[in-house]
Amino acid sequence: MVKGIDWKLLILLLLLLNVKMVVKVIAVIVLYFLRPDFKFGFTIKNPRLPLFYIIVILIASFNLIIRGLFTNLNYDLVFVTGISFWILSILAIHQVKLSIEKNDPSVIHRTLLVFFTVNIIFSIAMYALIVWETRSFNPFEYQGEFQKYFISTGDYIKGITFDTSTTNAVISTFGVFYFLSRKNIIYCLLCMLVLLLTGSNVTNILFCVALIYTFIFQSTKDQKSILVICGMMLVIFLAKVSPENKNYLSDTYDNYFKKDTTAVLKKLSADLSQTNTVVTEETIKQKIARGYLDSVNNLKQNNNKIIGNINPAFVSQTTGKPQIPEPNINKPPFQHKYITTQMQARLLQYINENRSDLPLSTSDTSLKHPGKMVAFEQSSHFLMQNSRKLLTGDGIGNFSSKLAFRSTAMDLNGGYPEKVAYISNDFKHNHFDLYLYYFSKTDNIHSLANMPNSVYDQLLTEYGLLGLVSFFIFYIWFFTKHYQYLTYGIPILLIMMGVFLIDYWFEQLSVVIVFEVLLLLNIKETKPSPITEQ
């Protein structure tokens, strides 16, 4: 399997996807030392690489000069750091394109097979270590150690990247459809297994969307059978292995989208009307109270059925003989321990020191929508109130990006020198305030749904309409204009469009690279003319 592979591409994938930024930089330096090529091919007509990367750099530079941001030395460091992310993205996709141009597709396929194999091995090994530690074959139901694992088990399945489990989930989802198209059933199911182990509900939803599309429009009879098996694996996982994930999705939906109480009152009124009772506010209250008292009475009657004075916990339900009781999972050692972490302590301290600038996190307001929806509302409101920033945005690192969080020097997205910390007022009053609202509280509300992170939001607020439009025209269209030749590329593209909604992926330098490898490869192996001919 390791014969006839592109070692340069494999090194790029294994190292660039690592969570540590220093490892990413080393990977790029090593690649350009081994293959020193700087012919990027950024032309107006038939560009070799997406012009989007150049456009966002130009927009950021325009904002720096026109808005006079360069006068703030701390911001200058933020600007240089942000531009460095985009340059690294260009250097990475250039090496990817070189590998695909210089090798036969079969070589790239073997390279990807090795990459996915390594990721699968690491993922399963991580799960095995958790099983060994908990002595439970299903850690998703293990409630010991204050529920260290339990529903959060998937968070520890990070794969070869050692990044978030969401990163591993997205890569594995790509693998499912890539290997399905390649008719490699074993690897398709192994990638599905890793996807399930990560326990990523958002990625599972995106997987279902791509599955439905592929099943209806782009699969043979045999492939449909495999998709059905993958769907059944997901159902079994949510029903038997980790029902808490299913409950979490249900609870999240109920919390933000549950029916209005007026609908319940209307139903009660209809029930009373059928009994020829005069419907008044008092009769509705009486019906609610009666239902509650009936429930309490039924519970007491069931408890009175217990014969004798022996505690039922010490009596076997089958033999009637005394037995040693099982540990009570409702006791503290088996329940999640809500503690204030060092990170939360720092956030709370910041809130106390900046109360006048943080109207949301200092209030008792209960948000009606998930944080991500609120973040888009903040962005829309900000741009409407600041129309002069609508076209080119607020500037790199000034509103919504991993860089904006990083430059706070609060260790939110990697280390940043405290003496040159930078927090834009626009970021502080909007997305940072929203982040503090959720993440200074108990971790039961720490989720992707409540994070403001999104590529779309980042481009709209920091690069304006020009940045967002250029993303669709000069990045997404760069790949989709070959749609008639794409096979596994289409479901992967659908997934990626959803993935861009949940984090700042261009700054992550991870799943975007895998996406670009798969799409460029799919175009080359199916398009009749060379890939460089646009």
Side-chain angles (χ1 to χ4, degrees):
M1 184 174 63
V2 296
K3 293 181 180 180
I5 68 173
D6 184 345
W7 287 100
K8 296 181 182 67
L9 179 60
L10 183 61
I11 291 173
L12 180 69
L13 292 175
L14 294 179
L15 296 183
L16 193 67
L17 268 64
N18 188 278
V19 66
K20 298 294 184 181
M21 182 56 65
V22 63
V23 178
K24 297 177 186 290
V25 174
I26 291 174
V28 172
I29 293 174
V30 169
L31 258 293
Y32 277 87
F33 176 79
L34 296 175
R35 189 162 54 190
D37 187 310
F38 296 91
K39 297 178 182 178
F40 300 110
F42 284 117
T43 59
I44 300 299
K45 183 180 180 181
N46 298 327
R48 179 175 168 275
L49 301 177
L51 286 174
F52 162 73
Y53 288 119
I54 297 297
I55 293 174
V56 290
I57 292 176
L58 293 175
I59 294 174
S61 302
F62 172 84
N63 284 327
L64 178 73
I65 298 171
I66 297 299
R67 306 195 192 288
L69 298 172
F70 59 87
T71 58
N72 186 325
L73 294 179
N74 285 16
Y75 181 77
D76 290 340
L77 180 59
V78 171
F79 175 81
V80 171
T81 304
I83 294 299
S84 298
F85 287 135
W86 293 116
I87 292 175
L88 281 173
S89 296
I90 293 173
L91 295 174
I93 190 175
H94 176 53
Q95 286 291 335
V96 166
K97 191 68 175 289
L98 286 174
S99 290
I100 293 177
E101 288 173 341
K102 295 178 180 296
N103 291 287
D104 185 80
S106 61
V107 174
I108 307 300
H109 285 306
R110 286 192 291 269
T111 305
L112 287 172
L113 186 64
V114 174
F115 167 74
F116 279 106
T117 299
V118 174
N119 190 61
I120 291 168
I121 291 173
F122 268 73
S123 300
I124 294 177
M126 290 174 178
Y127 184 80
L129 289 174
I130 297 174
V131 170
W132 176 264
E133 179 183 344
T134 60
R135 299 295 190 274
S136 171
F137 183 73
N138 183 12
F140 287 95
E141 292 188 339
Y142 176 73
Q143 298 191 54
E145 303 179 63
F146 301 104
Q147 296 184 0
K148 174 184 177 182
Y149 295 109
F150 197 43
I151 190 176
S152 300
T153 300
D155 295 344
Y156 297 88
I157 314 299
K158 300 180 179 182
I160 189 62
T161 70
F162 295 98
D163 203 341
T164 63
S165 59
T166 305
T167 300
N168 192 12
V170 173
I171 293 172
S172 299
T173 308
F174 289 165
V176 170
F177 293 97
Y178 167 69
F179 287 113
L180 176 72
S181 179
R182 298 280 299 160
K183 299 181 181 179
N184 191 330
I185 299 175
I186 294 177
Y187 271 81
C188 175
L189 297 179
L190 283 173
C191 286
M192 185 68 203
L193 174 62
V194 174
L195 167 61
L196 296 177
L197 292 179
T198 62
S200 175
N201 291 318
V202 172
T203 313
N204 286 338
I205 293 173
L206 296 176
F207 163 77
C208 289
V209 172
L211 182 148
I212 293 172
Y213 170 84
T214 306
F215 186 90
I216 297 175
F217 300 107
Q218 206 180 46
S219 58
T220 64
K221 184 177 180 180
D222 292 338
Q223 289 172 329
K224 283 181 169 57
S225 300
I226 302 303
L227 289 173
V228 170
I229 293 174
C230 290
M232 291 175 61
M233 289 174 65
L234 177 59
V235 171
I236 293 172
F237 177 82
L238 293 176
K240 300 296 182 181
V241 179
S242 182
E244 289 299 321
N245 274 287
K246 177 191 66 177
N247 296 337
Y248 174 80
L249 282 173
S250 177
D251 292 343
T252 300
Y253 178 83
D254 289 340
N255 288 338
Y256 296 115
F257 306 105
K258 60 183 178 181
K259 295 180 180 179
D260 196 306
T261 53
T262 54
V264 178
L265 293 178
K266 287 181 180 179
K267 184 178 186 305
L268 288 173
S269 299
D271 293 342
L272 290 171
S273 299
Q274 292 177 2
T275 59
N276 296 321
T277 303
V278 178
V279 180
T280 65
E281 183 178 354
E282 186 63 27
T283 56
I284 292 177
K285 290 181 178 178
Q286 289 177 3
K287 182 172 178 61
I288 295 174
R290 219 171 14 249
Y292 171 76
L293 293 174
D294 289 343
S295 299
V296 173
N297 186 51
N298 290 336
L299 182 61
K300 289 181 178 180
Q301 290 179 357
N302 291 334
N303 290 337
N304 291 335
K305 292 180 182 179
I306 300 174
I307 301 175
N309 296 321
I310 301 177
N311 190 327
F314 293 91
V315 179
S316 171
Q317 297 295 320
T318 55
T319 65
K321 297 180 180 180
Q323 66 177 7
I324 299 176
E326 293 291 330
N328 187 351
I329 64 172
N330 295 311
K331 293 294 183 180
F334 292 89
Q335 298 304 300
H336 184 71
K337 192 174 183 179
Y338 294 102
I339 60 174
T340 301
T341 64
Q342 291 183 351
M343 174 60 69
Q344 287 174 313
R346 284 198 297 271
L347 297 181
L348 289 170
Q349 181 182 353
Y350 184 86
I351 291 173
N352 289 330
E353 295 174 351
N354 299 269
R355 299 186 68 85
S356 60
D357 293 329
L358 304 170
L360 183 58
S361 54
T362 55
S363 70
D364 296 326
T365 303
S366 179
L367 298 178
K368 297 180 180 180
H369 304 294
K372 200 168 291 294
M373 292 179 62
V374 177
F376 277 107
E377 291 173 1
Q378 288 181 332
S379 300
S380 300
H381 179 74
F382 171 79
L383 291 174
M384 292 299 102
Q385 295 294 318
N386 299 271
S387 56
R388 65 188 180 86
K389 296 182 178 181
L390 186 60
L391 186 60
T392 60
D394 202 21
I396 190 170
N398 272 334
F399 198 98
S400 180
S401 60
K402 184 177 181 179
L403 179 60
F405 283 98
R406 183 194 295 268
S407 62
T408 63
M410 297 177 67
D411 293 328
L412 298 180
N413 272 305
Y416 197 88
E418 187 173 352
K419 62 182 180 181
V420 290
Y422 173 84
I423 304 179
S424 161
N425 285 329
D426 296 334
F427 172 56
K428 181 192 295 186
H429 298 158
N430 291 278
H431 282 16
F432 194 45
D433 189 15
L434 179 64
Y435 177 88
L436 293 171
Y437 172 85
Y438 285 106
F439 289 84
S440 63
K441 297 181 175 64
T442 54
D443 59 7
N444 60 314
I445 57 174
H446 299 180
S447 66
L448 285 174
N450 288 329
M451 295 184 72
N453 304 27
S454 168
V455 167
Y456 302 118
D457 207 327
Q458 176 188 9
L459 293 174
L460 180 61
T461 57
E462 295 193 353
Y463 303 88
L465 287 175
L466 188 59
L468 186 62
V469 171
S470 68
F471 167 73
F472 286 105
I473 295 177
F474 297 104
Y475 187 81
I476 298 300
W477 181 245
F478 180 85
F479 301 104
T480 55
K481 63 185 176 182
H482 305 287
Y483 69 92
Q484 67 268 37
Y485 306 114
L486 295 177
T487 53
Y488 54 83
I490 293 182
I492 289 175
L493 180 62
L494 290 175
I495 294 167
M496 197 66 209
M497 294 296 289
V499 169
F500 279 133
L501 184 66
I502 61 177
D503 213 332
Y504 305 120
W505 291 109
F506 284 109
E507 293 177 284
Q508 296 284 88
L509 292 171
S510 55
V511 299
V512 172
I513 303 301
V514 181
F515 165 77
E516 290 171 346
V517 171
L518 292 171
L519 266 292
L520 290 173
L521 173 62
N522 197 195
I523 294 170
K524 176 177 180 176
E525 66 182 341
T526 57
K527 189 181 178 192
S529 56
I531 191 171
T532 52
E533 295 180 13
Q534 303 296 327

